[in-house]
Amino acid sequence: MGVPLIYFLDDDENIIKLVKYGLRNEQFNMKFFSRPTALIEAIKIEYPDVVVSDVMMPDMDGIELIEKLRSLSRSMPVILVTAKAAVDTAVRAMKAGAFEYLTKPINFDELKLAIGRAVEVGRLRSEVDEIKTGFRQRYSFDSLIGESEPVNAMRELIKRLSTVSEAVILLRGESGVGKNLVARVIHYTSPISDRRYLEINCASLPSNLLEAELFGYEKGAFTDAKNSKKGLLEVASGGTVLLDEITSMDLSLQAKFLSFIENRRIRRVGGLEEIGVDLRVVSATNSDLESDVAGGKFRSDLFYRINVVSITVPPLRDRGKDVILIGRKFIEDFNTKFKKHVKGFTNAAERKLMAHNWPGNVRELRNVVERAMIFAEREYIDGDEIALTSISQAPIYEDGLHLPKGLSLDQVEGEYLKNMLEWNNFNLEQTAKELGVTRKTLWEKRKKYGLLN
Ligand SMILES: Nc1ncnc2c1ncn2[C@@H]1O[C@H](COP(=O)(O)OP(=O)(O)OP(=O)(O)O)[C@@H](O)[C@H]1O
Ligand SMILES: [Mg+2]
């Protein structure tokens, strides 16, 4: 942690002398300034833990200084000291973001204590800032890996949406495509990224508990409600809330939720008062909403309301080479996690990944790479280390082979070979015969396409 660095600013040299003397035995590294400009220059070179400043100075008052300092570092606490115990200045100072307000004549004990507290708070604040910055990096636009057309289009849409802080957004897409990731990116790239982001899975709670969780409740609203409690919507106010698996809400809660979206007001369970809540609502689902509406499971008015801005996250099988790009990112992630140094996939492994149809989407890819990484001992993951447990994209049909678009001729060959092998239950004699090649050629082809077991 080190000795805290404190910058002290006062245009009165006598005060500086006094403070130098008064705090000479403290575990602070104090630097003194008689002009605000000098202090600001110093800050640009080294951030102090705390700034202590006089309020009335000839060329800049303490309040202006605070504003200036806050633009340099939001987390640095500023203690203001003044001869005039003017209440209005104190109020203005606190509003401008002063950490504390002390009056002259300076009481050294008071000053010491205030500095100590400010150091603590400043350190906590910068930890929080770091965590938030970490989230912003982790959920940047670039964290949505992919260069395929559907992903680029989606990223553009998200970019446009993230500038609008108050919106209702619906995320659609198969399981495992990255809806939660997209919701986080939307939040952490938006102007409200320093506000709360909360997720709730609507399928995780029975309806009455979900309602209490979302809207909060008043004391005595039900038997267990010993105290009143804020709901998630209220807690996330100003930020973003993700309602995952929105179709799991029952019809009566859907009605209540619709009214919230339209009026931006909530009423806690058992409460009378309406509370205004301003937040961005993102809902997500992997089910077919249209048929849920047709089947009476989902209210059509709510559907129309939340479907105004919807993003469909494309299935992995439609993202072409993104499979490889995302797969490589997972290799990096698991290198860190498992302390390995795998460099990538072999060509055979890449072909195998490309030929698969990924019914479990990115989550399935992650699991496949994780499994390969657990066992990986060589520099590159090879085809035989890729264990695809789900149904292949190119199932064998009596009437022929179904291949995805966008495969190279090599991939088509590999895929066809794989299917022929499966078709013949890996009877090599038979497969070679049907393909019109020798056993040796078959072996070479199997090696090339990672089909040796
Ligand atoms: N484009 C991408 N780049 C990198 N990682 C991704 C990408 N898309 C998804 N992932 C990762 O894939 C995993 C699954 O994503 P996520 O949980 O967001 O899916 P989902 O659509 O919410 O699934 P479900 O419908 O089952 O809730 C996560 O680990 C996520 O970080
Ligand atoms: Mg999800």
Side-chain angles (χ1 to χ4, degrees), residues 168 258 261-262 264 300-308:
V168 177
L258 175 64
I261 291 184
E262 287 183 333
R264 299 274 157 180
S300 59
D301 48 6
L302 179 56
F303 169 68
Y304 290 121
R305 183 63 191 86
I306 61 173
N307 196 34
V308 176

Side-chain angles (χ1 to χ4, degrees), residues 143-145 175-181 286 319 362-363 366:
S143 70
L144 280 174
I145 294 172
S175 182
V177 284
K179 296 182 294 295
N180 287 58
L181 177 62
N286 55 25
R319 302 192 207 169
V362 186
R363 182 175 300 119
R366 197 185 141 90

Side-chain angles (χ1 to χ4, degrees), residues 19-228:
V19 171
K20 261 187 191 162
Y21 179 76
L23 300 186
R24 70 189 180 289
N25 291 327
E26 294 309 311
Q27 288 293 313
F28 303 134
N29 177 11
M30 307 264 311
K31 288 194 175 157
F32 295 88
F33 303 86
S34 52
R35 299 181 67 87
T37 44
L39 174 91
I40 286 164
E41 284 315 304
I43 284 177
K44 287 180 183 161
I45 296 161
E46 187 177 14
Y47 275 15
D49 288 280
V50 175
V51 172
V52 184
S53 168
D54 186 21
V55 173
M56 308 299 269
M57 290 169 294
D59 41 0
M60 189 188 290
D61 75 24
I63 313 264
E64 273 174 69
L65 179 75
I66 287 183
E67 280 157 6
K68 188 110 200 156
L69 293 179
R70 291 193 73 80
S71 69
L72 291 170
S73 157
R74 285 176 52 82
S75 53
M76 190 195 319
V78 182
I79 298 169
L80 288 181
V81 188
T82 184
K84 294 177 194 144
V87 178
D88 62 323
T89 320
V91 171
R92 279 203 305 138
M94 296 316 277
K95 273 196 181 147
F99 174 75
E100 212 162 321
Y101 187 87
L102 303 177
T103 49
K104 286 182 188 170
I106 293 178
N107 173 327
F108 294 125
D109 285 333
E110 206 177 71
L111 180 61
K112 267 184 277 188
L113 286 174
I115 291 176
R117 276 194 299 271
V119 167
E120 257 328 288
V121 168
R123 286 183 174 169
L124 286 176
R125 278 187 197 164
S126 52
E127 265 174 43
V128 171
D129 277 359
E130 263 169 45
I131 292 168
K132 283 182 176 160
T133 311
F135 276 124
R136 277 192 279 268
Q137 276 161 3
R138 184 145 155 221
Y139 300 116
S140 66
F141 291 117
D142 294 338
S143 70
L144 280 174
I145 294 172
E147 291 163 7
S148 62
E149 207 280 314
V151 169
N152 284 341
M154 178 177 78
R155 203 183 287 108
E156 281 315 305
L157 182 58
I158 296 173
K159 276 187 184 164
R160 269 188 283 140
L161 287 177
S162 66
T163 58
V164 198
S165 54
E166 202 221 295
V168 177
I169 299 171
L170 174 64
L171 298 178
R172 311 183 67 169
E174 293 174 13
S175 182
V177 284
K179 296 182 294 295
N180 287 58
L181 177 62
V182 168
R184 290 174 195 182
V185 171
I186 290 174
H187 176 76
Y188 286 106
T189 56
S190 74
I192 53 171
S193 64
D194 58 339
R195 311 300 289 271
R196 280 273 175 90
Y197 169 83
L198 296 176
E199 291 183 355
I200 182 159
N201 190 316
C202 300
S204 66
L205 292 170
S207 188
N208 55 338
L209 288 186
L210 180 63
E211 176 174 356
E213 201 59 33
L214 286 176
F215 292 89
Y217 50 82
E218 293 297 345
K219 188 174 170 178
F222 39 85
T223 342
D224 286 341
K226 303 235 158 30
N227 292 300
S228 64

Side-chain angles (χ1 to χ4, degrees), residues 235-336:
V235 173
S237 191
T240 305
V241 62
L242 170 68
L243 296 168
D244 212 351
E245 300 200 40
I246 180 95
T247 48
S248 303
M249 268 191 196
D250 74 8
L251 288 164
S252 73
L253 189 53
Q254 287 176 25
K256 203 165 172 185
F257 181 59
L258 175 64
S259 138
F260 157 68
I261 291 184
E262 287 183 333
N263 308 316
R264 299 274 157 180
R265 307 185 77 73
I266 56 154
R267 193 185 296 163
R268 293 185 189 162
V269 178
L272 296 172
E273 188 196 354
E274 290 211 320
I275 305 163
V277 168
D278 207 12
L279 46 71
R280 181 169 36 203
V281 179
V282 182
S283 18
T285 180
N286 55 25
S287 84
D288 178 4
L289 273 178
E290 281 80 359
S291 69
D292 286 342
V293 170
K297 278 193 283 178
F298 202 77
R299 289 180 68 108
S300 59
D301 48 6
L302 179 56
F303 169 68
Y304 290 121
R305 183 63 191 86
I306 61 173
N307 196 34
V308 176
V309 183
S310 80
I311 301 177
T312 301
V313 187
L316 186 58
R317 79 186 75 84
D318 291 348
R319 302 192 207 169
K321 290 222 176 74
D322 288 0
V323 173
I324 308 298
L325 300 180
I326 299 173
R328 287 186 192 144
K329 150 134 195 321
F330 289 148
I331 289 186
E332 280 174 33
D333 289 354
F334 291 116
N335 268 334
T336 315

